[in-house]
Amino acid sequence: MLRIIVCIKQVPETQEVRLDPVTHTLKREGVKAMINPFDLYALEEGLRVKEARGGKVTVLSMGPPQAEEALREALGFGADAAVLLSDRAFAGADTWATSLTLARAIEKLGGADLIFCGKQAIDGDTAQVGPEIAEHLNIPYVAWARKLTFNADDLLKVERLLDHGYDAVEVELPALITVVKEINEPRLPSFKAKLRAKKEPIPVWGLGDLGLPPEEVGLAGSFTQVVKVFPPPARGTSETWTGPPAELAARLWQRLQSLGPSVVFRK
Ligand SMILES: Cc1cc2nc3c(=O)[nH]c(=O)nc-3n(C[C@H](O)[C@H](O)[C@H](O)COP(=O)(O)OP(=O)(O)OC[C@H]3O[C@@H](n4cnc5c(N)ncnc54)[C@H](O)[C@@H]3O)c2cc1C
């Protein structure tokens, strides 16, 4: 029976996030949240492996108390169990502290044969947490998986998406896989599972449950700090020119020259 763990992150539902000008962190109050889209593909793959080979799928998330909603939603898709890691001490974690906390929780769950993560979170965007969990657990990982096939009970063939094509690699279990959207088509939640999800108890583990010292989690355990966060400057407006090609070329030449001597032209 495979022990499958899927790590899911709750992210803001909108791209128009507001930033706290003093702390440079996201203002999460009043912002609707959702499961990080890539994590739905990770969950779907975990469920498919379970259905094909038997096992149990546990979803795991570190976040504020409202991240419980994301876990309940995951149960509605068919996950068997969920655990939330939530403690004020975890706040302000960078990817290192986040992955360490998740790795310790996976150990507390008794370990896993397969751990699935999304390729990246759409808010933090670092794509570091998956590989870092694997490093903390000292197990192999394959990132950007677009297809999985079992060659033997504990040997997994993975197609890893590249810019132009894919790599075919084999990895022994236990292993961690991060997935891209090409890997599957996530199912819709089932009515029966949604009903069960409403009542399913979700344990909340804090610092004391994981046996981690306070200086290794949250902001205190973070090697990086956000110094400044700002929205990119708005792009200038675009113009559409129409007319005979020679006229357009002359107009463009004039415009480029008007940009000044820092622009070098060769006629
Ligand atoms: C000083 C500082 C303060 C910060 N404060 C906060 C804060 O208060 N709240 C906050 O949410 N973020 C905070 N962050 C951001 C936080 O570090 C990252 O969001 C987090 O480490 C995950 O990185 P990422 O979003 O780039 O995930 P990625 O590495 O891009 O995520 C890849 C995959 O890892 C898994 N994953 C990532 N994060 C989690 C998670 N939390 N639980 C379960 N699975 C996960 C998912 O499967 C995801 O698809 C802070 C960062 C810094 C540096």
Side-chain angles (χ1 to χ4, degrees):
M1 190 173 108
L2 287 169
R3 295 162 304 164
I4 302 163
I5 293 182
V6 183
C7 296
I8 62 172
K9 183 179 183 192
Q10 195 183 45
V11 295
E13 203 178 296
T14 170
Q15 292 289 312
E16 288 159 23
V17 286
R18 289 168 301 135
L19 298 167
D20 185 315
V22 180
T23 62
H24 304 305
T25 52
L26 291 183
K27 284 189 174 179
R28 288 166 195 271
E29 316 83 63
V31 178
K32 277 184 82 181
M34 63 178 187
I35 296 179
N36 177 46
F38 291 105
D39 302 353
L40 290 176
Y41 295 83
L43 175 58
E44 176 64 32
E45 203 57 25
L47 294 172
R48 286 185 189 198
V49 171
K50 174 199 150 177
E51 284 156 4
R53 310 187 68 85
K56 178 179 178 186
V57 175
T58 304
V59 280
L60 181 62
S61 188
M62 184 187 105
Q66 61 265 31
E68 187 190 312
E69 292 161 23
L71 290 170
R72 287 212 184 275
E73 200 183 330
L75 291 171
F77 282 100
D80 300 293
V83 177
L84 174 63
L85 310 177
S86 195
D87 191 314
R88 290 184 79 86
F90 299 156
D94 68 357
T95 61
W96 176 266
T98 300
S99 55
L100 179 68
T101 309
L102 289 166
R104 289 295 164 266
I106 291 167
E107 285 175 339
K108 186 175 159 69
L109 281 164
D113 300 300
L114 256 175
I115 303 167
F116 286 104
C117 288
K119 169 178 86 114
Q120 68 195 82
I122 60 160
D123 57 350
D125 257 343
T126 66
Q128 290 173 2
V129 170
E132 284 177 353
I133 294 173
E135 287 296 325
H136 288 303
L137 294 173
N138 200 21
I139 60 170
Y141 71 87
V142 183
W144 294 55
R146 68 162 207 183
K147 188 175 178 194
L148 302 186
T149 330
F150 276 89
N151 279 355
D153 270 355
D154 59 353
L155 195 61
L156 194 60
K157 187 175 164 194
V158 187
E159 286 184 12
R160 180 169 53 189
L161 187 69
L162 303 174
D163 280 344
H164 306 287
Y166 68 92
D167 270 344
V169 294
E170 280 184 339
V171 65
E172 275 181 22
L173 302 192
L176 183 144
I177 312 289
T178 82
V179 309
V180 294
K181 287 182 173 180
E182 288 75 3
I183 196 164
N184 59 42
E185 189 63 48
R187 68 194 65 190
L188 293 171
S190 87
F191 183 64
K192 201 171 142 201
K194 270 173 99 169
L195 280 183
R196 183 182 68 84
K198 275 189 184 164
K199 295 185 223 140
E200 188 73 18
I202 297 183
V204 182
W205 292 348
L207 187 61
D209 300 295
L210 299 183
L212 276 166
E215 62 274 15
E216 288 194 23
V217 299
L219 195 55
S222 296
F223 291 96
T224 58
Q225 275 199 16
V226 178
V227 178
K228 189 174 176 191
V229 186
F230 55 92
R235 285 194 186 171
T237 50
S238 62
E239 293 171 36
T240 308
W241 295 346
T242 50
E247 207 176 280
L248 290 178
R251 194 171 163 193
L252 179 63
W253 177 241
Q254 221 174 14
R255 174 65 68 87
L256 291 173
Q257 280 183 315
S258 74
L259 295 176
S262 59
V263 184
V264 180
F265 303 112
R266 232 181 252 136
K267 250 189 167 177

